[in-house]
Amino acid sequence: DIVMTQSPDSLAVSLGERATINCKSSQSVLNSSNNKNYLAWYQQKPGQPPKLLIYWASTRESGVPDRFSGSGSGTDFTLTISSLQAEDVAVYFCQQYYSPLLMYTFGQGTKLEIK
Amino acid sequence: QVQLVQSGAEVKKPGSSVKVSCKASGGTFSSYAISWVRQAPGQGLEWMGRIIPILARVNYTQKFQGRITITADKSTSTAYMELTSLRSEDTAVYYCAKGGYPLFSFDYWGQGSLVTVSS
């Protein structure tokens, strides 16, 4: 099975400060045929479904504020919130797609709070 | 803009089955996949399977093979997920989501359907 491991499990950051969440895959998610990383990031607030923030590891979904950015390639990825706002309090998940096994796997989630 | 509206909460006995519906509006229903993702209380997200109506293709993750059936009614733009032989560990919120084909990510989600399995 493909395992996605996020770190840390929880994070407290002051308003206006940078928040960084890491995601590591047990297998590379880089597709050599198109040079794209099949890695996405989601934000989930209590009682709501997840919301897509980033796909292809670094492409922001339409309407997502530019303080959210994604980086990384292969097995190691990062979601960065450049200046934390109160409305960013949520759980964040990474997700990968591994085509040989047709598997979509999520990380365990990182809970982001205000310090 | 796609909107996905799911059926309501269900309480089921162990060993029984549940069928959750997901009605889509906006977009072209047949041209994208509908995936099903579940989330146990306080837990993470687990992809269960998908249907691609335009290709008449259905895929399930191995964990649920033999217990899950995903179908779609193109005439009503509605997808269904049936899970049989329910056990307490199946208690979760079940989401439908647009995604898995042609894009690998899930850009629209239903509101979720809570399924509680309890004797």
Side-chain angles (χ1 to χ4, degrees):
Chain A
D1 281 6
I2 310 300
V3 177
M4 306 295 288
T5 304
Q6 292 182 227
S7 62
D9 288 333
S10 63
L11 181 62
V13 174
S14 301
L15 289 173
E17 296 299 305
R18 178 185 299 261
T20 301
I21 299 170
N22 300 301
C23 176
K24 187 174 183 67
S25 175
S26 61
Q27 297 268 7
S28 175
V29 302
L30 176 62
N31 187 321
S32 57
S33 66
N34 59 11
N35 203 37
K36 288 185 180 294
N37 286 281
Y38 285 65
L39 190 286
W41 289 97
Y42 299 84
Q43 174 194 67
Q44 187 178 33
K45 297 181 179 180
Q48 296 183 19
K51 173 188 174 182
L52 177 64
L53 298 175
I54 303 279
Y55 58 95
W56 299 135
S58 61
T59 301
R60 248 187 324 272
E61 175 73 340
S62 176
V64 173
D66 60 7
R67 64 179 180 273
F68 291 90
S69 64
S71 62
S73 184
T75 61
D76 294 277
F77 300 89
T78 300
L79 174 70
T80 302
I81 307 172
S82 60
S83 177
L84 189 71
Q85 306 298 303
E87 61 265 31
D88 300 334
V89 169
V91 178
Y92 292 83
F93 295 93
C94 60
Q95 175 241 325
Q96 67 84 35
Y97 170 60
Y98 186 66
S99 58
L101 298 179
L102 212 162
M103 287 187 66
Y104 301 83
T105 309
F106 293 86
Q108 81 277 16
T110 295
K111 187 174 183 179
L112 177 59
E113 299 173 313
I114 304 293
K115 186 187 292 183
Chain B
Q1 187 86 357
V2 172
Q3 187 175 13
L4 302 174
V5 179
Q6 299 183 223
S7 50
E10 305 246 23
V11 179
K12 294 292 182 179
K13 299 285 189 188
S16 67
S17 301
V18 69
K19 191 170 185 177
V20 182
S21 67
C22 171
K23 183 172 176 58
S25 59
T28 304
F29 179 71
S30 293
S31 66
Y32 52 80
I34 292 288
S35 286
W36 289 89
V37 177
R38 78 176 186 179
Q39 187 171 35
Q43 301 300 309
L45 300 161
E46 181 174 34
W47 182 78
M48 303 174 71
R50 70 175 185 186
I51 187 164
I52 311 172
I54 199 171
L55 300 179
R57 183 184 300 170
V58 183
N59 304 101
Y60 305 123
T61 193
Q62 189 170 4
K63 175 177 178 177
F64 298 102
Q65 287 275 5
R67 286 210 299 145
I68 187 172
T69 303
I70 297 175
T71 56
D73 182 342
K74 288 187 281 187
S75 68
T76 60
S77 300
T78 303
Y80 300 90
M81 187 282 299
E82 182 175 26
L83 192 62
T84 63
S85 303
L86 290 169
R87 34 218 190 220
S88 59
E89 310 89 88
D90 293 318
T91 294
V93 175
Y94 289 76
Y95 293 103
C96 63
K98 170 182 170 287
Y101 178 90
L103 295 178
F104 77 97
S105 52
F106 306 107
D107 53 356
Y108 292 95
W109 294 68
Q111 83 276 19
S113 301
L114 175 62
V115 175
T116 303
V117 183
S118 174
S119 54

